[in-house]
Amino acid sequence: MIEWMKQLKTAFGTSFLFLICLIYFTQGFRSFVWTAVSYQLKDILKLSPSASQFVFSVAFFPWSIKPLYGIISDCIPIKGKKRVPYLLISTVLSLVPWIMVGLNETLRSSMWQLTVFLTVQNLGSAMADVVVDAMIAEAVRFERASFAGDLQSMSWLAMAIGGICGSLLGGYALNNLPIDIIFLLFSILPTMQLLSCGLVEENSVCSKRLPEVSDLKGFNEGNENSYESNGDRSMRKKSNLSTSRRKKNQKNNKTKTITIDRSPTRVTKKDTSLPLQWIHSLKAATYSLCRAFKQPMILRL
């Protein structure tokens, strides 16, 4: 067990593993605070079973649209980053409602206001779940693919431990602590999650494209050198040609270089606007989803 943890530490880093375990532990530990929420709805607000079920249905609706968060984070990077900024936003959304509900009694006493804050909290939790899954997928995509099962096992282990601790401590805390203290105690975990987000580094989208551009430049320089060497050989072989043919070839080469040089400028002019790139990427993602749902196997289900 210790050797396994050391291997994961050397492969992914301590800060990344701590963030993954903390997020999944928080997801499992949610039973600690939702026990108090159900008590607030049924015993304090005296809601009927249908009304309390309506509150839970509305509050957990953000979990039903999880693919939308993944599409937005993939297609619209924030300052060149796709994961950490969205993880910060989701953590703030999951932290602020518990603090507001714990400090303000009027928010807990109103069914509609409590429903709004619970919905916002679930929005942040669902978005954080999607983002951390994407971070795990990107971490094990290339050279660390052998640790994919290990990292997934560790995350689900942290989630199971959090669920056990939340279920055991939820009832005990509800019998011995006020309900506002329970909300404020649970907000400690999102606060730790918010602070640990700053420890994880993420490469920007532009920095990921730089090696590709450098490779293309090296490839073009190699081609130019090969073209020059081939040109020298051909010039040696064709030294007996007349000067009139050389002039014609030079004119043709100039016209070709002009047509080649003009084409990239047109492309760069189209790609300069960042909102247009976001719109095109969203259109491509929507088209791919629609095409996937048109498959016969999905329609049969």
Side-chain angles (χ1 to χ4, degrees):
M1 185 69 179
I2 298 174
E3 295 294 331
W4 178 63
M5 292 298 295
K6 288 182 179 180
Q7 291 178 359
L8 291 177
K9 181 181 177 181
T10 55
F12 299 101
T14 306
S15 60
F16 181 78
L17 293 178
F18 178 75
L19 180 62
I20 297 300
C21 293
L22 180 60
I23 292 175
Y24 276 96
F25 180 83
T26 306
Q27 295 291 341
F29 199 74
R30 281 161 52 88
S31 58
F32 172 81
V33 71
W34 282 96
T35 305
V37 171
S38 62
Y39 175 78
Q40 175 74 20
L41 294 175
K42 296 176 182 178
D43 295 341
I44 297 178
L45 296 181
K46 303 296 182 180
L47 295 181
S48 62
S50 60
S52 61
Q53 185 63 36
F54 173 77
V55 173
F56 275 98
S57 300
V58 174
F60 281 92
F61 175 74
W63 288 90
S64 303
I65 54 174
K66 286 174 62 177
L68 182 62
Y69 314 139
I71 294 172
I72 293 174
S73 63
D74 288 335
C75 298
I76 305 177
I78 299 175
K79 292 184 179 181
K81 297 181 180 180
K82 296 182 178 180
R83 308 302 176 206
V84 176
Y86 285 98
L87 189 60
L88 289 171
I89 294 171
S90 62
T91 305
V92 172
L93 291 177
S94 62
L95 170 63
V96 174
W98 294 124
I99 297 176
M100 296 293 292
V101 172
L103 295 177
N104 196 343
E105 187 177 358
T106 58
L107 296 178
R108 300 193 303 268
S109 302
S110 176
M111 184 189 76
W112 295 106
Q113 292 179 357
L114 183 61
T115 303
V116 170
F117 279 95
L118 292 177
T119 305
V120 173
Q121 193 277 328
N122 278 310
L123 175 64
S125 299
M127 187 183 297
D129 185 71
V130 173
V131 173
V132 74
D133 287 340
M135 291 175 69
I136 291 174
E138 290 179 352
V140 299
R141 182 177 295 175
F142 297 109
E143 66 273 6
R144 293 171 291 187
S146 59
F147 292 98
D150 298 330
L151 190 60
Q152 196 71 25
S153 300
M154 188 188 66
S155 60
W156 281 95
L157 178 63
M159 189 174 181
I161 294 173
I164 294 171
C165 294
S167 299
L168 292 176
L169 297 176
Y172 177 80
L174 190 60
N175 290 327
N176 297 281
L177 295 175
I179 195 168
D180 55 345
I181 301 299
I182 296 175
F183 292 151
L184 294 176
L185 283 176
F186 183 78
S187 63
I188 295 174
L189 289 177
T191 304
M192 295 174 59
Q193 180 178 328
L194 182 63
L195 295 176
S196 60
C197 289
L199 302 176
V200 178
E201 296 180 356
E202 181 186 2
N203 295 325
S204 62
V205 179
C206 298
S207 64
K208 291 180 181 179
R209 293 179 181 176
L210 286 176
E212 297 178 358
V213 176
S214 62
D215 293 338
L216 289 175
K217 289 182 179 179
F219 180 73
N220 291 328
E221 289 177 357
N223 287 332
E224 289 178 357
N225 293 326
S226 63
Y227 289 157
E228 288 178 358
S229 61
N230 291 328
D232 293 335
R233 292 176 184 176
S234 63
M235 289 296 291
R236 290 175 184 176
K237 291 180 181 180
K238 297 179 180 180
S239 59
N240 56 353
L241 293 175
S242 61
T243 57
S244 61
R245 292 182 180 179
R246 292 178 182 176
K247 291 180 179 180
K248 291 180 180 179
N249 291 326
Q250 289 177 357
K251 291 180 180 180
N252 293 327
N253 290 328
K254 287 181 180 179
T255 55
K256 289 180 180 179
T257 54
I258 290 170
T259 55
I260 293 170
D261 291 332
R262 286 178 182 176
S263 58
T265 56
R266 294 177 183 176
V267 176
T268 53
K269 288 180 180 179
K270 293 181 180 179
D271 295 334
T272 51
S273 59
L274 186 60
L276 289 177
Q277 293 180 0
W278 290 353
I279 293 172
H280 288 309
S281 59
L282 286 174
K283 286 183 179 179
T286 306
Y287 177 73
S288 62
L289 282 176
C290 294
R291 187 175 59 183
F293 279 104
K294 287 182 180 179
Q295 297 297 326
M297 294 300 296
I298 297 176
L299 292 177
R300 290 175 188 174
L301 295 175

